[in-house]
Amino acid sequence: MIHLYELFHAMMKPMKNMNNTETMTSWILACRVEDIPENGGACVLLDGEQIAIYNFKKRGEWYATQNLCPHKQQMALSRGMIGSMGEDPKVACPFHKKTFSLKSGACLSGDDYEIKTYQVKVEGNEVFVAF
Amino acid sequence: MKKKVVVVGNGMVGYKFCEKLIAKGGSEQFDIIVFGEEPRPAYDRVHLSAYFGEKTIEELTMAPLEWYSENQIQLHLSDPVTNIDREKKIINTHQGISLNYDYLILATGSAPFVPPIPGVEKDGVFVYRTIEDLDMMKSHAAKSKIGAVIGGGLLGLEAAKALLDLGITDTHVIEFAPRLMPRQIDQAGSDILKSKLSTLGIKIHCNKNTQEIAGGDTLEKMVFADGEILKVDMLVISAGIKPRDELAKIAGLEVGSRGGILVNNKLQTSDESIFAIGECALHEHMIYGLVAPGYEMADIVASEIVGNATKEFTGFDMSTKLKLIGVDVASFGNAFAEEPDCQTIIYENKTKGVYKRVNISNDNKYLLGGILVGDAEQYNMLLQTVNNKLPIPADPEDLILGSRGGESGGESGVMSLPDEALICSCEAITKGQICHEVIENGNDTVDTLKKSTKACTGCGGCTPMVKDLIQGILKSQGKVVRNVLCEHFEYTRQELLSLVKIKALKTYDDVLEDLGHGDGCETCKPAVASILASLWNENVLEKGRLTAQDSNDRFLANIQRGGTYSVVPRIPGGEITPEKLIVIGEVAQKYGLYTKITGGQRIDMFGAHVGDLPAIWEQLIEAGFESGQAYGKSLRTVKSCVGTTWCRFGVQDAVSFAIEVENRYKGLRSPHKLKSAVSGCIRECAEAQSKDFGIIATEKGWNLYVCGNGGSKPRHAELLATDVSSEMCLKLIDRFLMFYIKTAEPLQRTAPWLDKMEGGLAYLKSVVIDDVLGLNAQFEADMDALVDTYKCEWKEAVETPEIRKRFVHFVNAPEEKDPTVKFEPLREQIKAEDWNAVVK
Ligand SMILES: Cc1cc2nc3c(=O)[nH]c(=O)nc-3n(C[C@H](O)[C@H](O)[C@H](O)COP(=O)(O)OP(=O)(O)OC[C@H]3O[C@@H](n4cnc5c(N)ncnc54)[C@H](O)[C@@H]3O)c2cc1C
Ligand code: SF4
Ligand code: SF4
Ligand code: FES
């Protein structure tokens, strides 16, 4: 069975290649709302890349980052706990609990790492990532 | 032109002199030139032994080279001063520098005294004073098995500890006098210290006179006057110190007949422009072999030469507190005063290895001095009581016996001291100064106080008192210092647990909504999740609790390198049928898992993709397995030996009981993991005494031990009850575990929990055995409720589609596995790819 999103994803690809300019963001359908646990994250595969998407229900916000933890190169951030430091929303890697801002991607636990962040929008039941 | 101050010796005191001189503005009046014989700038000799352990040279260095240049101090290392021409006021050095001085400061310290025993020159014989000594010991120790130290004083015992740290477990201390530390403690104190040290494996020989160190080029044995012989591979001589006055002698300065450069109350030698400070100075027939008096001398001389003399050196309190190989030893004030000059009160507890002696004035009003061995917690307060002539309690024995539990005497004690009370004697910092720093400048941690006042930077003995003082000041300002969970909850774990229970909150979100603020974090989420599980025992993955779990609990498996998981089915008591073994083998084969026997007598399967977990468990559950909760902060395993069922020594059926215990507490969530074991007799093959609760069979029943652990800081469990029946044993464990679950900090194992408990083991016993809190019936009922509501989490997970569907790596491609997961072959099995070699 071909998964619905892979199909959709495949359709989006040429579009993205067509609009290959830097300023242009294309919204890619990533998953359904219920695929991401409330106040937590899950991973999607978009164009061969692993993206972690977080449903921060407590704040009514959605975030997306790279899934790779830069510390020991582990595909793990989507499995981390999310929360806040002051006002800043963050995720903690399950391996060694390094934390990263979901907004800026900066490492909040004192290292020099930075992770990529992506815009997310939700329309009805569908979650899109700006890619 | 500026005048010249030349400092000879860059040890602890020579350095401190420079620091004081700079602080007093000395660099405007003087050029400061320092000559040191050692190849490196001054380092903390007091903590020299830490060089074998936790500290590096950089951390031991008093100030880095930049400090000297920033303060325009010329530092010449590896260049001892060899001559002084007092007529012309010129010094000459080994490397050929000659320089004139206006003031000359001798801070040449001391050298170890080596008695003229034949054979001291042999290889393998060391002294213990410099980093070089330590480096040489280190390389020799690698090929040594038996070590000895000549000298049972402070430094000798320190050296014995160093030998232990170097891995020489067979270590002997040879003391000529009839007792250890003859200068600090009395015979009874020495006996207690001796028996304590013996339990640590150090063999102590008092009244022993070494006659010869025998062997070829390298030593082989020691021969004693009584004819006995000890085979040794290395020997450290620590028989006292010899002030380094050789340069002073060459210069014709007056020295004492037994060594030491003679000084007056201004620390001036017989030549008024030459001063001597530190361990080389002889003042009123005394050599001061400690840093604190040396620092005081440095301060006095620095004030003197900048023309701002305020005080003279009139002797120094030699009170000391040390931790010798983990044993507290302290002496203060007039430690050896005896009746009829005073009244002495002595407390001695041989089983615990505690000895305390206080000397009280005959009018019962003042404390004169005393000795503490084994437990020196009261040292700082007692010393303050002597130094400030504080009134003592009507029952002077309260001074050493104190009252365990209740209001902590230490804290109210520090606050009652006068402002002039000297808290840090190395740096001469008073209570008033510290209060000022805390209140006016907001330096309310030991670290910031170290920076702003230098308190606690010398011998470090005052640190506990400074901590108490900070707490006391903050408290008196109405600032409460509490161990709250994190920025999202203003409660301790214990408070939170009670509140969650009273309010019957069942999910993390409800708890945060009701009792916290903000959005939570990786500290409070698992802590609250654990509280919820301990209270209600509902499935951790339901009702939005999923994302409050730490990753391992969220996926009911342990995340391992590379992002795959390990699977551990429960094997109660380590007993397993051949049929079940075969199923484990089949599952591992089918999913390509690496298998290994764990330390807890079960089987771990590594390398499972997250998406395979439900199917793996389905098959295991089918065969009768349950979750092993290896991923949770919960009961892990109850190890057992075969006991009476097979073993010829066994006195009880250890396996059956272990299975009963494991089945009772399986799935129990707690502040940290829990481990247990049952041994069938005192031979203790199951290692029960290294567990959170361990059970050892006796002829009459079971002995129950609690609060032990392995791990990075191993701890022996303590005996809670003897010869109890199986039924009673379970009751006691119920109470013990519930008390722990309700009162421990997050991620605090049972051993540190007991350490922090006021009253310690005695209090724990009074709660779970004597029921002083009247809570035991409740504890048992709570445990029964948890046992009754136990369900296998994995069974629920595989049977509930809502939960099961979360076990995927890509939610938009559930069939796909994480393509970055890579394995490498390892002896017919696999291992995770080395993550240091991976660039993705
Ligand atoms: C293992 C150990 C543990 C100790 N524990 C404690 C403790 O717990 N509490 C405590 O209070 N004290 C302790 N002490 C003692 C403390 O270290 C000394 O009291 C302190 O170091 C004395 O300082 P100093 O500057 O007088 O001498 P040193 O630190 O010995 O410095 C003298 C320096 O002068 C140099 N020198 C000598 N002659 C010349 C020359 N002609 N020209 C140039 N340089 C020269 C020497 O090489 C040396 O570097 C301990 C000592 C040791 C060895
Ligand atoms: S502890 Fe005792 S009963 Fe158990 S295996 Fe060892 S010797 Fe046998
Ligand atoms: S000892 Fe260290 S490496 Fe070994 S299992 Fe425990 S945490 Fe991992
Ligand atoms: S791999 Fe993420 S914190 Fe170490």
Side-chain angles (χ1 to χ4, degrees):
Chain A
M1 183 193 88
I2 297 182
H3 201 270
L4 185 66
Y5 307 104
E6 287 169 74
L7 195 64
F8 194 89
H9 188 185
M11 284 164 50
M12 296 296 290
K13 247 183 187 162
M15 231 177 89
K16 194 189 166 202
N17 290 344
M18 263 162 34
N19 305 319
N20 205 351
T21 50
E22 304 231 335
T23 46
M24 187 71 196
T25 43
S26 45
W27 290 101
I28 304 192
L29 176 59
C31 60
R32 288 166 308 196
V33 166
E34 64 267 24
D35 288 333
I36 312 292
E38 291 178 358
N39 292 313
C43 177
V44 295
L45 185 63
L46 293 185
D47 207 5
E49 270 193 60
Q50 300 199 18
I51 311 290
I53 300 180
Y54 312 88
N55 173 2
F56 212 140
K57 179 129 187 288
K58 177 85 178 31
R59 299 163 71 116
E61 291 162 5
W62 286 75
Y63 296 98
T65 69
Q66 68 186 55
N67 191 32
L68 185 74
C69 174
H71 175 225
K72 289 286 179 188
Q73 314 292 323
Q74 300 290 299
M75 284 297 183
L77 293 178
S78 58
R79 299 181 201 169
M81 286 179 280
I82 62 172
S84 62
M85 184 167 109
E87 281 304 301
D88 209 0
K90 65 172 181 177
V91 60
C93 174
F95 275 90
H96 311 96
K97 298 275 151 53
K98 304 224 178 266
T99 56
F100 303 91
S101 164
L102 292 173
K103 278 205 167 125
S104 67
C107 179
L108 301 176
S109 41
D111 293 292
D112 278 339
Y113 308 117
E114 199 180 309
I115 57 170
K116 261 188 280 176
T117 59
Y118 303 86
Q119 280 174 285
V120 185
K121 75 173 178 191
V122 176
E123 276 172 10
N125 189 29
E126 296 175 327
V127 182
F128 297 84
V129 173
F131 205 58
Chain B
M1 208 179 86
K2 285 191 203 170
K3 288 189 170 181
K4 278 200 177 76
V5 175
V6 172
V7 184
V8 185
N10 185 227
M12 295 186 78
V13 174
Y15 162 76
K16 185 56 63 172
F17 171 78
C18 296
E19 189 192 291
K20 298 270 182 190
L21 191 59
I22 298 292
K24 293 177 200 292
S27 49
E28 275 142 47
Q29 295 179 41
F30 302 109
D31 286 328
I32 307 168
I33 305 105
V34 180
F35 291 91
E37 175 191 62
E38 292 187 64
R40 51 178 60 80
Y43 52 88
D44 183 354
R45 208 179 298 285
V46 169
H47 295 106
L48 190 62
S49 303
Y51 180 63
F52 284 144
E54 70 278 14
K55 292 226 167 130
T56 60
I57 271 285
E58 288 71 35
E59 287 171 289
L60 287 173
T61 302
M62 310 284 300
L65 287 172
E66 301 85 69
W67 179 85
Y68 295 89
S69 49
E70 275 161 23
N71 289 295
Q72 278 97 47
I73 298 174
Q74 267 186 48
L75 177 63
H76 300 268
L77 293 172
S78 303
D79 194 8
V81 173
T82 48
N83 191 36
I84 308 171
D85 183 339
R86 288 164 49 203
E87 291 284 294
K88 302 201 183 108
K89 291 199 169 183
I90 287 179
I91 54 110
N92 298 305
T93 74
H94 180 71
Q95 294 189 13
I97 300 180
S98 83
L99 192 76
N100 71 312
Y101 63 85
D102 294 286
Y103 291 110
L104 185 64
I105 317 293
L106 300 176
T108 49
S110 65
F113 167 67
V114 179
I117 303 169
V120 286
E121 72 293 341
K122 291 192 193 307
D123 279 352
V125 181
F126 301 90
V127 293
Y128 195 63
R129 176 119 197 140
T130 65
I131 294 281
E132 279 67 34
D133 294 335
L134 268 63
D135 282 336
M136 287 190 294
M137 282 169 67
K138 223 182 211 170
S139 62
H140 194 87
K143 43 183 201 260
S144 305
K145 290 209 175 67
I146 310 174
V149 177
I150 293 188
L154 189 163
L155 292 183
L157 295 178
E158 183 98 21
K161 156 111 171 68
L163 290 182
L164 285 185
D165 288 348
L166 285 171
I168 300 184
T169 42
D170 193 358
T171 291
H172 300 254
V173 170
I174 318 292
E175 169 60 50
F176 178 68
R179 62 171 197 257
L180 293 174
M181 299 185 68
R183 274 142 55 92
Q184 284 87 8
I185 59 178
D186 58 7
Q187 186 67 46
S190 160
D191 290 344
I192 290 275
L193 179 62
K194 206 166 139 180
S195 66
K196 267 227 127 146
L197 296 178
S198 311
T199 62
L200 299 169
I202 297 182
K203 293 160 202 95
I204 312 256
H205 314 267
C206 288
N207 271 324
K208 248 198 168 33
N209 187 356
T210 312
Q211 213 162 39
E212 193 196 336
I213 298 164
D217 284 346
T218 308
L219 91 162
E220 282 160 16
K221 59 190 176 199
M222 299 169 69
V223 182
F224 303 106
D226 58 10
E228 274 188 43
I229 285 176
L230 179 68
K231 284 191 65 145
V232 285
D233 303 316
M234 78 187 274
L235 171 66
V236 182
I237 297 193
S238 177
I241 56 171
K242 189 180 65 191
R244 294 200 49 186
D245 55 10
E246 65 272 12
L247 181 63
K249 273 191 197 149
I250 294 173
L253 296 171
E254 265 181 65
V255 297
S257 56
R258 300 208 342 251
I261 309 167
L262 230 55
V263 292
N264 61 17
N265 283 2
K266 289 180 169 177
L267 287 320
Q268 255 163 345
T269 63
S270 52
D271 178 331
E272 61 177 25
S273 39
I274 304 181
F275 294 80
I277 55 178
E279 278 189 353
C280 64
L282 182 68
H283 177 264
E284 301 274 350
H285 311 291
M286 271 290 279
I287 295 282
Y288 290 90
L290 295 174
V291 275
Y295 282 8
E296 168 99 352
M297 295 178 188
D299 188 52
I300 291 173
V301 175
S303 304
E304 169 75 26
I305 66 171
V306 296
N308 190 16
T310 46
K311 57 183 171 189
E312 298 202 324
F313 189 80
T314 52
F316 201 87
D317 181 19
M318 292 293 278
S319 303
T320 27
K321 174 182 154 186
L322 315 147
K323 211 179 192 74
L324 282 168
I325 324 177
V327 184
D328 281 335
V329 179
S331 75
F332 55 94
N334 189 346
F336 295 108
E338 278 186 11
E339 287 160 0
D341 300 335
C342 67
Q343 321 170 37
T344 59
I345 299 175
I346 288 174
Y347 165 81
E348 189 172 354
N349 183 333
K350 286 213 168 104
T351 45
K352 281 199 180 150
V354 175
Y355 171 82
K356 298 179 182 183
R357 159 178 170 173
V358 284
N359 308 321
I360 311 284
S361 65
N362 279 322
D363 59 7
N364 236 336
K365 280 205 178 124
Y366 300 109
L367 177 64
L368 303 175
I371 293 166
L372 306 169
V373 177
D375 169 14
E377 223 184 283
Q378 296 125 329
Y379 167 77
N380 279 317
M381 264 325 288
L382 292 174
L383 177 61
Q384 295 291 345
T385 310
V386 174
N387 290 350
N388 298 294
K389 292 211 172 276
L390 297 183
I392 59 173
D395 291 324
E397 63 264 29
D398 289 355
L399 282 171
I400 41 177
L401 299 178
S403 49
R404 278 297 238 163
E407 272 301 290
S408 106
E411 191 185 283
S412 53
V414 192
M415 292 307 283
S416 69
L417 291 175
D419 271 356
E420 317 69 75
L422 202 56
I423 302 285
C424 172
S425 47
C426 295
E427 295 287 338
I429 312 284
T430 62
K431 177 186 163 194
Q433 282 168 284
I434 292 182
C435 291
H436 177 85
E437 280 299 317
V438 175
I439 297 167
E440 303 299 326
N441 301 335
N443 291 318
D444 56 7
T445 64
V446 172
D447 282 339
T448 53
L449 278 174
K450 271 187 180 170
K451 286 212 183 86
S452 67
T453 64
K454 293 204 161 271
C456 309
T457 58
C459 69
C462 60
T463 312
M465 199 151 180
V466 170
K467 278 190 188 149
D468 283 349
L469 195 53
I470 297 172
Q471 294 262 338
I473 300 168
L474 292 180
K475 218 176 196 173
S476 69
Q477 290 181 317
K479 290 188 199 159
V480 191
V481 220
R482 289 189 323 146
N483 231 344
V484 300
L485 221 51
C486 66
E487 64 173 271
H488 306 106
F489 288 95
E490 297 289 321
Y491 299 103
T492 64
R493 180 179 179 278
Q494 186 175 354
E495 290 163 346
L496 204 57
L497 184 136
S498 314
L499 287 168
V500 169
K501 185 171 184 193
I502 295 166
K503 296 181 171 242
L505 302 173
K506 305 237 163 146
T507 68
Y508 174 81
D509 291 341
D510 291 346
V511 177
L512 182 65
E513 191 66 31
D514 204 330
L515 302 168
H517 42 81
D519 307 311
C521 68
E522 70 282 0
T523 303
C524 58
K525 283 189 170 181
V528 170
S530 155
I531 289 175
L532 291 170
S534 294
L535 284 175
W536 316 120
N537 216 13
E538 294 182 335
N539 190 296
V540 294
L541 302 188
E542 279 172 5
K543 297 198 212 152
R545 280 185 292 257
L546 169 81
T547 51
Q549 307 298 331
D550 208 339
S551 181
N552 283 352
D553 268 316
R554 176 169 162 193
F555 293 100
L556 302 177
N558 296 48
I559 196 165
Q560 306 288 3
R561 287 181 180 224
T564 61
Y565 288 85
S566 64
V567 173
V568 190
R570 188 166 294 288
I571 301 179
E575 181 185 88
I576 185 165
T577 61
E579 290 72 24
K580 279 189 166 172
L581 274 176
I582 289 170
V583 174
I584 289 187
E586 283 169 354
V587 168
Q589 234 168 16
K590 179 159 162 198
Y591 295 95
L593 309 177
Y594 165 88
T595 53
K596 184 174 186 307
I597 311 289
T598 72
Q601 301 186 336
R602 41 194 195 175
I603 300 169
D604 203 338
M605 293 172 263
F606 291 81
H609 284 274
V610 65
D612 288 339
L613 289 172
I616 291 174
W617 273 104
E618 203 154 42
Q619 195 172 344
L620 290 170
I621 288 165
E622 181 86 351
F625 284 106
E626 292 182 312
S627 166
Q629 268 95 17
Y631 43 82
K633 303 296 176 217
S634 54
L635 180 80
R636 296 288 167 85
T637 69
V638 181
K639 256 171 96 163
S640 70
C641 72
V642 288
T644 45
T645 54
W646 295 95
C647 176
R648 65 204 159 111
F649 297 114
V651 293
Q652 303 283 350
D653 180 355
V655 191
S656 300
F657 196 43
I659 293 173
E660 187 179 350
V661 173
E662 180 155 349
N663 280 329
R664 179 165 180 81
Y665 303 112
K666 65 187 173 192
L668 176 70
R669 300 280 161 150
S670 48
H672 210 304
K673 62 186 170 195
L674 290 167
K675 296 186 175 182
S676 177
V678 182
S679 279
C681 82
I682 49 160
R683 286 168 189 77
E684 242 287 66
C685 297
E687 297 164 337
Q689 287 167 97
S690 64
K691 305 295 181 201
D692 295 281
F693 56 105
I695 303 163
I696 302 177
T698 67
E699 297 282 345
K700 298 184 198 129
W702 309 99
N703 283 353
L704 175 60
Y705 293 79
V706 292
C707 300
N709 58 243
S712 57
K713 268 199 198 151
R715 256 286 291 266
H716 255 272
E718 308 217 39
L719 183 60
L720 186 76
T722 28
D723 291 331
V724 290
S725 65
S726 304
E727 199 189 11
M728 189 61 203
C729 191
L730 290 179
K731 276 195 172 161
L732 287 172
I733 300 173
D734 281 2
R735 299 169 190 169
F736 162 71
L737 289 177
M738 284 320 291
F739 188 36
Y740 162 66
I741 288 171
K742 292 192 178 186
T743 57
E745 302 284 326
L747 300 182
Q748 185 178 43
R749 285 197 71 179
T750 54
W753 169 70
L754 182 64
D755 283 343
K756 287 271 158 61
M757 191 183 293
E758 292 252 348
L761 183 68
Y763 181 68
L764 179 62
K765 281 185 181 169
S766 73
V767 173
V768 301
I769 298 175
D770 308 329
D771 203 9
V772 291
L773 298 181
L775 286 174
N776 284 348
Q778 183 66 48
F779 287 161
E780 286 167 34
D782 288 346
M783 186 62 83
D784 280 337
L786 290 180
V787 173
D788 288 345
T789 49
Y790 165 82
K791 288 196 201 88
C792 170
E793 288 154 349
W794 261 115
K795 188 158 190 292
E796 288 186 290
V798 291
E799 286 171 0
T800 316
E802 260 312 290
I803 300 180
R804 187 166 178 154
K805 75 162 209 220
R806 297 280 179 214
F807 290 85
V808 294
H809 186 71
F810 298 116
V811 289
N812 64 343
E815 312 296 324
E816 254 181 73
K817 291 182 173 159
D818 180 356
T820 64
V821 169
K822 297 231 163 59
F823 302 112
E824 289 167 2
L826 170 77
R827 291 182 290 278
E828 290 162 68
Q829 297 199 66
I830 52 162
K831 74 178 180 78
E833 190 181 35
D834 178 6
W835 63 18
N836 293 317
V838 187
V839 183
K840 275 175 183 157

